[in-house]
């Protein structure tokens, strides 16, 4: 028997096993959970076909309403429009546009030079500079994949040329890139606030200290592994060289002040700050640094529009799904079930972490937040968990999901940059991923880490 035939038989067996498991779960859900089971069974069945999550959400709602409910279909059309009539949603395309101008421009390179001048002389200096540059770029982009692309495309080849193992460089940049969704501004944080009607400004402030702590932890892991492996150190920069690097990067760094300073001072709402960041990023990329010529501006706009449309389409269908769950009283039923089984705060947070990590195996962050946040949020509120703490906890879980297979977006972005396979990258990120898991537990059970700054600022 040929190798191709054997391979096809193995693939068919795996596919059949997956379908059988899925059918068993679907039937079990319908039998034990009634209408709740039907909703999730429909969603799981559609996802098993390989259908995009956004379309699966929409079809689940339409199928259930048509066959199992008396809700008029006109309500669906109405909900499609009214569900996304939220001022906060406008922040998403603006942050995406700002991030794209910065990614196509030379802001990332200047931030890397500044970071290298500050920490390049320590053990694993280039790796530490990569972590610091990711943290700085995260504070102006709001996206993990954008951070990995902007920093990784420059930093990873530089680390290999300097004598760092390829796996080491890929591991540190892939995981540090995830800071893009924890250090504000953050697109997943905006999505969480839209799904739960929480304060975007408070959640942004809640992500500052955890973001800085995680950046320090990832840098510590890089420093320790570099010291153990006696990896190269760079010549210590003079204060004059540091001052020059700072001056070169000042226009990019000022964007952090504009976004966070504008929100904190009350000068801007988060959405207005997003619009200001998009305009500012355009000005510095086109007129100040002149890294983006006018002929490339339409491409940047088109890329941003395409990404925004994809995210907004997911949000629209998730709003429909949330409407269906609310109509069927599913969040309330689940909250009553959890409280009826005497699950305390500790147990509930543990279950939430496990559920989010499992979801991270098959879905990307925005989809996870839009599906699970409306279900888990009411339970968290009944248990007295602060919405900012809960939002930061979910965001940290999303960071971990970005860095592990099979759907970890950062792994795929890094794979494109380094030409390494996903399995090799999974091994490369392991030390930093373990540190992130430990940090996730710390944030979960020590809420003051997330809440101190928002409370100190009066949120």
């Amino acid at each position: 028997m040929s190798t191709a035939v054997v391979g096809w038989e193995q693939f068919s067996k795996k596919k059949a096993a997956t379908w059988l498991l899925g059918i068993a779960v679907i039937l079990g859900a319908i039998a034990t959970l009634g209408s709740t089971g039907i909703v999730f069974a429909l969603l799981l069945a559609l996802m098993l076909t390989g259908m995009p999550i956004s379309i699966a959400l929409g079809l689940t709602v339409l199928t259930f309403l048509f066959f199992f409910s008396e809700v008029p279909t006109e309500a669906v059309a109405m909900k499609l429009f009214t569900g996304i009539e939220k001022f906060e949603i406008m922040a998403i395309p603006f942050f995406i546009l700002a991030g794209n101008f910065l990614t196509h421009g030379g802001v990332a390179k200047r931030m890397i030079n500044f970071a290298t001048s500050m920490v390049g002389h320590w053990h694993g200096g280039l790796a530490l500079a990569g972590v610091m540059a990711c943290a700085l770029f995260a504070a102006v982009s709001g996206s993990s994949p954008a951070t990995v692309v902007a920093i990784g495309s420059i930093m990873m080849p530089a680390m290999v040329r300097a004598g760092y193992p390829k796996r080491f460089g890929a591991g540190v940049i892939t995981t540090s890139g995830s800071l893009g969704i924890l250090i504000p501004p953050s697109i997943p944080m905006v999505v969480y606030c839209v799904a739960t009607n929480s304060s975007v400004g408070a959640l942004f402030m809640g992500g500052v200290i955890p973001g800085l702590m995680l950046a320090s932890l990832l840098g510590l892991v890089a420093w320790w592994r570099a010291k153990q492996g006696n990896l190269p150190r760079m010549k210590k920069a003079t204060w004059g060289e540091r001052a020059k690097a700072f001056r070169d990067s000042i226009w990019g760094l000022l964007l952090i002040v504009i976004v966070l300073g504008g929100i904190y001072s009350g000068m801007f709402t988060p959405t207005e700050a997003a619009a200001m960041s998009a305009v500012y990023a355009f000005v510095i990329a086109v007129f100040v640094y002149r890294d983006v010529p006018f002929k490339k501006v339409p491409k940047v706009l088109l890329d941003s529009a395409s990404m925004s449309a994809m995210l907004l389409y997911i949000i629209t269908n998730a709003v429909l799904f949330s409407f269906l769950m609310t109509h069927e009283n599913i969040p309330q039923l689940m909250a009553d079930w959890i409280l009826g089984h005497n699950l305390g705060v500790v147990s509930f947070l543990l279950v939430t972490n496990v559920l989010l990590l499992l979801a991270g195996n098959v879905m990307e962050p925005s989809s996870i937040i839009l599906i699970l946040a409306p279900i888990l949020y009411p339970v968290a509120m009944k248990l007295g968990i602060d919405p900012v703490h809960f939002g930061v906890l979910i965001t940290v879980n999303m960071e971990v999901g970005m860095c592990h297979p099979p759907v970890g977006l950062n792994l795929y972005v890094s794979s494109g940059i380094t030409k390494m396979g996903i399995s090799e990258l999974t091994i490369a990120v392991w030390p930093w991923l373990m540190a992130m898991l430990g940090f996730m537990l710390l944030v979960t059970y020590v809420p003051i880490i997330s809440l101190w700054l928002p409370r100190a600022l009066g949120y």
Side-chain angles (χ1 to χ4, degrees):
M1 188 180 292
S2 69
T3 306
V5 173
V6 173
W8 171 251
E9 285 185 354
Q10 289 175 346
F11 173 76
S12 299
K13 287 177 182 177
K14 287 181 181 178
K15 195 171 182 180
T18 303
W19 272 96
L20 287 172
L21 178 61
I23 291 168
V25 171
I26 290 169
L27 292 175
I30 294 173
T32 57
L33 298 175
S35 62
T36 305
I38 293 173
V39 171
F40 288 105
L42 283 171
L43 180 60
L44 180 59
L46 291 170
M47 287 173 61
L48 281 172
T49 65
M51 185 181 294
I53 184 67
S54 56
I55 299 175
L57 285 169
L59 281 180
T60 297
V61 174
L62 292 174
T63 304
F64 186 90
L65 292 180
F66 190 79
F67 290 106
F68 303 102
S69 172
E70 295 181 0
V71 176
T73 51
E74 292 84 356
V76 176
M78 183 67 70
K79 200 64 186 174
L80 276 171
F81 289 98
T82 60
I84 58 171
E85 280 186 338
K86 295 183 179 179
F87 188 59
E88 295 85 356
I89 290 180
M90 291 177 63
I92 294 173
F94 284 129
F95 279 133
I96 289 173
L97 180 58
N100 276 344
F101 271 120
L102 297 174
T103 304
H104 284 80
V107 174
K109 184 176 181 180
R110 291 171 176 86
M111 286 184 171
I112 288 171
N113 291 338
F114 172 62
T116 304
S117 71
M118 298 302 293
V119 297
H121 59 284
W122 295 355
H123 286 286
L126 272 181
L128 293 175
V131 176
M132 184 176 173
C134 283
L136 291 171
F137 196 80
V140 296
S141 71
S143 166
S144 283
T147 304
V148 175
V149 168
I151 305 300
S153 57
I154 302 170
M155 209 69 191
M156 288 187 199
M159 292 173 73
V160 172
R161 286 196 301 269
Y164 287 76
K166 194 174 183 181
R167 280 187 179 181
F168 184 92
V172 70
I173 299 299
T174 302
T175 48
S176 299
S178 66
L179 294 167
I181 64 170
L182 181 57
I183 296 177
S186 163
I187 292 171
M189 282 185 176
V190 176
V191 172
Y192 168 84
C193 292
V194 168
T196 61
N197 289 316
S198 302
S199 166
V200 178
L203 189 55
F204 276 6
M205 293 303 123
V208 172
I209 291 178
L212 295 176
M213 287 180 64
L214 182 56
S216 301
L217 179 61
L218 294 174
L220 183 64
V221 174
W223 172 83
W224 180 77
R225 295 197 73 225
K227 190 174 182 181
Q228 294 292 108
N230 196 29
L231 296 181
R233 301 166 67 175
M234 299 181 69
K235 180 184 175 184
K236 187 174 182 178
T238 65
W239 283 106
E241 290 169 335
R242 290 175 177 176
K244 183 181 183 304
F246 177 73
R247 285 195 304 272
D248 289 343
S249 62
I250 188 64
W251 290 103
L253 297 175
L254 276 175
L255 187 52
I256 304 172
V257 179
I258 290 174
V259 174
L260 298 186
I263 294 172
Y264 165 60
S265 66
M267 189 177 297
F268 309 131
T269 66
T271 303
E272 290 165 348
M276 285 297 299
S277 70
V279 173
Y280 182 82
F282 165 75
V283 170
I284 63 171
V286 176
F287 297 107
V288 179
Y289 290 143
R290 299 182 181 179
D291 296 311
V292 179
F294 268 109
K295 64 181 180 182
K296 282 188 68 177
V297 171
K299 183 181 186 306
V300 175
L301 294 173
L302 189 61
D303 290 346
S304 302
S306 176
M307 192 180 301
S308 299
M310 178 190 71
L311 264 178
L312 291 173
Y313 184 64
I314 294 173
I315 290 172
T316 302
N317 284 290
V319 165
L320 276 182
F321 190 73
S322 179
F323 162 71
L324 173 62
M325 290 191 298
T326 304
H327 181 268
E328 294 299 315
N329 209 28
I330 291 173
Q332 185 63 44
L333 290 172
M334 295 191 72
D336 292 341
W337 184 88
I338 290 172
L339 295 172
H341 284 75
N342 296 318
L343 276 186
V345 173
V346 173
S347 301
F348 170 72
L349 291 176
L350 181 61
V351 169
T352 297
N353 279 328
V354 171
L355 188 60
L356 291 170
L357 288 174
L358 289 174
N361 285 309
V362 293
M363 289 187 284
E364 51 85 36
S366 295
S367 301
I368 297 172
I369 293 171
L370 289 165
I371 293 173
L372 294 181
I375 298 172
L376 298 171
Y377 181 81
V379 185
M381 295 307 99
K382 283 196 172 186
L383 291 172
I385 298 169
D386 190 280
V388 172
H389 171 220
F390 197 62
V392 171
L393 180 156
I394 289 179
T395 305
V396 174
N397 269 279
M398 297 304 97
E399 282 191 299
V400 175
M402 295 286 243
C403 301
H404 69 70
V407 186
L409 294 180
N410 284 9
L411 291 178
Y412 287 95
V413 173
S414 292
S415 177
I417 295 171
T418 62
K419 310 304 179 188
M420 294 168 64
I422 298 298
S423 56
E424 188 179 4
L425 273 170
T426 302
I427 297 170
V429 303
W430 190 244
W432 290 274
L433 191 59
M434 292 302 294
M436 291 173 72
L437 286 168
F439 178 75
M440 183 186 74
L441 291 175
L442 182 67
V443 167
T444 299
Y445 293 112
V446 187
I448 196 65
I449 295 172
S450 310
L451 299 178
W452 181 83
L453 186 58
R455 288 177 178 174
L457 298 177
Y459 281 97

